[in-house]
Coordinates of all heavy atoms in Angstrom, one line a residue:
G891 N 34.6 285.8 157.5 CA 33.9 286.6 158.3 C 33.8 285.8 159.7 O 34.0 286.4 160.9
T892 N 33.8 284.5 159.7 CA 33.9 283.7 160.8 C 35.2 283.7 161.5 O 35.3 283.7 162.7 CB 33.5 282.2 160.4 OG1 32.2 282.1 159.8 CG2 33.5 281.2 161.6
E893 N 36.2 283.8 160.7 CA 37.6 283.9 161.4 C 37.8 285.2 162.1 O 38.4 285.3 163.2 CB 38.6 283.8 160.3 CG 38.8 282.3 159.7 CD 39.8 282.2 158.6 OE1 40.4 283.3 158.2 OE2 39.9 281.1 158.0
Q894 N 37.2 286.3 161.6 CA 37.1 287.5 162.3 C 36.4 287.4 163.6 O 36.7 287.9 164.6 CB 36.6 288.6 161.4 CG 36.6 290.0 161.9 CD 35.9 291.1 161.0 OE1 35.5 290.8 159.9 NE2 35.8 292.3 161.5
E895 N 35.1 286.8 163.5 CA 34.3 286.5 164.6 C 35.1 285.8 165.7 O 35.1 286.0 166.9 CB 33.1 285.8 164.2 CG 32.2 285.4 165.3 CD 31.0 284.4 164.8 OE1 31.3 283.3 164.4 OE2 29.9 284.9 164.7
Y896 N 35.8 284.7 165.2 CA 36.8 283.8 166.2 C 37.7 284.7 166.9 O 37.9 284.5 168.1 CB 37.4 282.7 165.3 CG 38.5 282.0 165.9 CD1 38.3 281.0 166.7 CD2 39.8 282.5 165.9 CE1 39.2 280.2 167.4 CE2 40.8 281.8 166.3 CZ 40.6 280.6 167.2 OH 41.6 280.1 167.9
R897 N 38.4 285.6 166.2 CA 39.5 286.3 166.9 C 38.8 287.3 167.9 O 39.4 287.7 169.0 CB 40.3 287.2 165.9 CG 41.2 286.2 165.0 CD 42.1 286.9 164.1 NE 43.0 286.0 163.4 CZ 42.8 285.4 162.3 NH1 41.6 285.7 161.6 NH2 43.5 284.5 161.7
A898 N 37.5 287.9 167.6 CA 36.9 288.7 168.5 C 36.5 287.9 169.8 O 36.5 288.4 170.9 CB 35.6 289.4 167.9
F899 N 35.9 286.7 169.5 CA 35.4 285.9 170.5 C 36.6 285.5 171.6 O 36.4 285.4 172.7 CB 34.8 284.7 170.0 CG 34.2 283.7 171.0 CD1 32.9 284.0 171.5 CD2 34.9 282.6 171.4 CE1 32.3 283.1 172.5 CE2 34.3 281.7 172.4 CZ 33.1 282.0 172.8
N900 N 37.8 285.2 170.9 CA 38.9 284.8 171.7 C 39.9 285.9 172.1 O 41.0 285.7 172.4 CB 39.7 283.6 171.0 CG 38.9 282.3 171.1 OD1 38.7 281.7 172.1 ND2 38.2 281.9 169.9
A901 N 39.5 287.2 172.0 CA 40.3 288.3 172.3 C 40.9 288.1 173.8 O 40.1 288.0 174.6 CB 39.6 289.5 172.2
G902 N 42.1 288.3 173.9 CA 42.8 288.1 175.2 C 43.1 286.7 175.6 O 43.7 286.5 176.7
K903 N 42.7 285.8 174.7 CA 42.9 284.4 175.2 C 43.9 283.6 174.3 O 44.4 282.5 174.5 CB 41.6 283.6 174.9 CG 40.5 284.1 175.8 CD 39.2 283.3 175.5 CE 37.9 283.9 176.2 NZ 36.7 283.3 175.7
L904 N 44.4 284.4 173.1 CA 45.3 283.7 172.2 C 46.7 284.2 172.3 O 46.9 285.5 172.7 CB 44.7 284.1 170.8 CG 43.4 283.6 170.3 CD1 43.1 284.1 168.9 CD2 43.1 282.1 170.5
T905 N 47.6 283.3 172.1 CA 49.0 283.7 172.1 C 49.4 284.5 170.7 O 48.5 284.4 169.9 CB 50.0 282.5 172.1 OG1 49.8 281.7 171.0 CG2 49.7 281.7 173.4
E906 N 50.3 285.2 170.8 CA 50.8 285.9 169.4 C 50.9 285.0 168.3 O 50.4 285.2 167.1 CB 52.1 286.6 169.6 CG 52.5 287.4 168.4 CD 51.6 288.5 167.9 OE1 50.8 289.0 168.9 OE2 51.5 288.9 166.8
Q907 N 51.4 283.8 168.5 CA 51.4 282.7 167.4 C 50.1 282.3 167.1 O 49.7 282.2 165.8 CB 52.3 281.5 167.9 CG 52.5 280.5 166.8 CD 53.4 279.3 167.3 OE1 53.7 279.3 168.5 NE2 53.6 278.4 166.5
Q908 N 49.2 282.1 168.0 CA 47.8 281.6 167.6 C 47.1 282.8 166.9 O 46.2 282.5 165.9 CB 47.0 281.3 168.9 CG 47.4 280.0 169.5 CD 46.8 279.8 170.9 OE1 46.5 280.7 171.7 NE2 46.5 278.5 171.2
R909 N 47.4 284.1 167.3 CA 46.7 285.1 166.6 C 47.0 285.3 165.1 O 46.3 285.7 164.3 CB 46.9 286.5 167.2 CG 46.1 286.7 168.5 CD 46.3 288.2 169.0 NE 47.6 288.6 169.4 CZ 48.1 288.5 170.5 NH1 47.4 287.9 171.5 NH2 49.3 288.9 170.8
Q910 N 48.3 284.9 164.8 CA 48.8 284.9 163.5 C 48.5 283.8 162.6 O 48.4 283.8 161.4 CB 50.4 285.0 163.5 CG 50.8 286.3 164.2 CD 50.3 287.6 163.5 OE1 50.2 287.7 162.3 NE2 50.1 288.6 164.4
A911 N 48.1 282.6 163.2 CA 47.9 281.4 162.5 C 46.5 281.5 162.1 O 45.5 282.1 162.6 CB 48.2 280.2 163.5
K912 N 46.2 280.6 161.0 CA 44.9 280.5 160.5 C 44.0 279.6 161.4 O 44.4 278.6 161.7 CB 44.8 279.9 159.1 CG 43.6 279.9 158.4 CD 43.7 279.3 156.9 CE 42.4 279.4 156.2 NZ 41.9 280.7 156.0
P913 N 42.9 280.1 161.9 CA 42.2 279.2 163.0 C 41.4 278.0 162.3 O 41.0 278.1 161.2 CB 41.2 280.2 163.5 CG 40.9 281.2 162.5 CD 42.3 281.3 161.7
Y914 N 41.3 277.0 163.1 CA 40.6 276.0 162.7 C 39.1 276.1 163.2 O 38.7 275.8 164.4 CB 41.0 274.5 163.3 CG 42.4 274.1 162.8 CD1 43.6 274.2 163.7 CD2 42.6 273.7 161.5 CE1 44.8 273.7 163.2 CE2 43.9 273.3 160.9 CZ 45.0 273.3 161.9 OH 46.1 272.9 161.4
I915 N 38.2 276.6 162.2 CA 36.9 276.8 162.5 C 36.1 276.7 161.2 O 36.4 277.2 160.2 CB 36.7 278.2 163.2 CG1 35.2 278.3 163.7 CG2 37.1 279.3 162.4 CD1 35.0 279.6 164.6
G916 N 34.9 276.2 161.3 CA 34.0 276.1 160.2 C 33.2 277.3 160.0 O 33.0 278.1 161.1
P917 N 32.8 277.7 158.9 CA 32.0 278.9 158.7 C 30.7 278.8 159.4 O 30.1 277.8 159.6 CB 31.7 278.8 157.2 CG 32.8 278.0 156.5 CD 33.1 277.0 157.6
R918 N 30.3 279.9 160.1 CA 29.1 279.8 160.9 C 27.8 279.5 160.0 O 27.7 280.1 159.0 CB 28.8 281.3 161.6 CG 27.7 281.3 162.5 CD 27.5 282.7 163.1 NE 26.9 283.6 162.2 CZ 27.1 284.9 162.3 NH1 27.7 285.4 163.2 NH2 26.5 285.7 161.3
P919 N 27.1 278.5 160.4 CA 25.9 278.2 159.7 C 24.7 279.1 160.0 O 24.7 279.8 161.0 CB 25.5 276.8 160.1 CG 26.0 276.7 161.5 CD 27.3 277.6 161.5
G920 N 23.7 279.3 159.2 CA 22.5 280.0 159.5 C 21.7 279.3 160.7 O 21.7 277.9 160.7
I921 N 21.2 280.1 161.5 CA 20.5 279.5 162.7 C 19.3 280.2 163.0 O 19.2 281.5 163.0 CB 21.4 279.5 164.0 CG1 22.6 278.8 163.8 CG2 20.6 279.0 165.3 CD1 23.7 279.1 164.9
V922 N 18.1 279.5 163.2 CA 16.8 280.2 163.5 C 16.8 280.4 165.0 O 17.1 279.6 165.7 CB 15.6 279.2 163.1 CG1 14.3 279.8 163.5 CG2 15.6 278.9 161.6
T923 N 16.6 281.7 165.3 CA 16.5 282.1 166.8 C 15.3 281.6 167.4 O 14.3 281.1 166.8 CB 16.7 283.6 167.0 OG1 15.6 284.2 166.3 CG2 17.9 284.1 166.2
R924 N 15.3 281.8 168.7 CA 14.0 281.5 169.5 C 12.9 282.4 169.1 O 11.8 281.9 169.0 CB 14.3 281.7 171.0 CG 15.3 280.7 171.5 CD 15.7 281.1 173.0 NE 14.6 281.2 173.9 CZ 14.1 280.1 174.7 NH1 14.8 279.0 174.6 NH2 13.1 280.3 175.6
R925 N 13.2 283.6 168.8 CA 12.1 284.5 168.2 C 11.6 284.0 166.8 O 10.5 284.1 166.5 CB 12.6 285.9 168.1 CG 11.5 286.9 167.8 CD 12.0 288.3 168.1 NE 10.9 289.3 167.7 CZ 9.9 289.6 168.5 NH1 9.7 288.9 169.6 NH2 9.0 290.5 168.2
G926 N 12.5 283.3 166.1 CA 12.3 282.8 164.7 C 11.3 281.7 164.8 O 10.4 281.5 163.9
W927 N 11.4 280.7 165.9 CA 10.4 279.6 166.1 C 9.3 280.0 167.0 O 8.4 279.1 167.2 CB 11.1 278.3 166.4 CG 12.0 278.2 167.6 CD1 13.3 278.3 167.6 CD2 11.6 278.0 168.9 NE1 13.9 278.1 168.9 CE2 12.8 277.9 169.7 CE3 10.4 277.9 169.6 CZ2 12.7 277.7 171.1 CZ3 10.3 277.7 171.0 CH2 11.5 277.6 171.8
G928 N 9.2 281.2 167.4 CA 8.1 281.6 168.2 C 8.1 281.4 169.6 O 6.9 281.1 170.1
A929 N 9.2 281.3 170.3 CA 9.2 281.0 171.7 C 8.4 282.0 172.5 O 8.5 283.2 172.4 CB 10.7 280.9 172.3
N930 N 7.6 281.5 173.4 CA 7.0 282.4 174.4 C 7.9 282.5 175.6 O 8.0 281.6 176.4 CB 5.6 281.8 174.8 CG 4.9 282.6 176.0 OD1 5.4 283.5 176.5 ND2 3.9 282.0 176.5
E931 N 8.6 283.6 175.5 CA 9.7 283.8 176.6 C 9.2 283.9 177.9 O 9.9 283.7 179.0 CB 10.6 285.0 176.3 CG 11.3 284.9 175.0 CD 12.3 283.7 174.9 OE1 12.6 283.2 176.0 OE2 12.8 283.5 173.8
G932 N 7.8 284.2 178.2 CA 7.2 284.2 179.4 C 7.0 282.8 180.1 O 6.9 282.7 181.3
L933 N 7.3 281.7 179.3 CA 7.0 280.4 180.0 C 8.3 280.0 180.8 O 8.2 279.4 181.9 CB 7.0 279.3 178.8 CG 5.6 279.3 178.0 CD1 5.7 278.1 177.0 CD2 4.5 279.1 179.0

Side-chain angles (χ1 to χ4, degrees):
T892 303
E893 291 176 1
Q894 182 181 357
E895 175 186 74
Y896 164 87
R897 292 187 174 91
F899 183 78
N900 287 287
K903 303 175 188 176
L904 303 177
T905 65
E906 180 61 29
Q907 184 177 4
Q908 287 174 325
R909 283 196 296 271
Q910 297 302 320
K912 189 176 181 63
Y914 292 114
I915 186 169
R918 186 180 76 200
I921 301 171
V922 178
T923 65
R924 290 170 64 88
R925 190 160 177 83
W927 54 260
N930 172 4
E931 298 294 352
L933 288 182

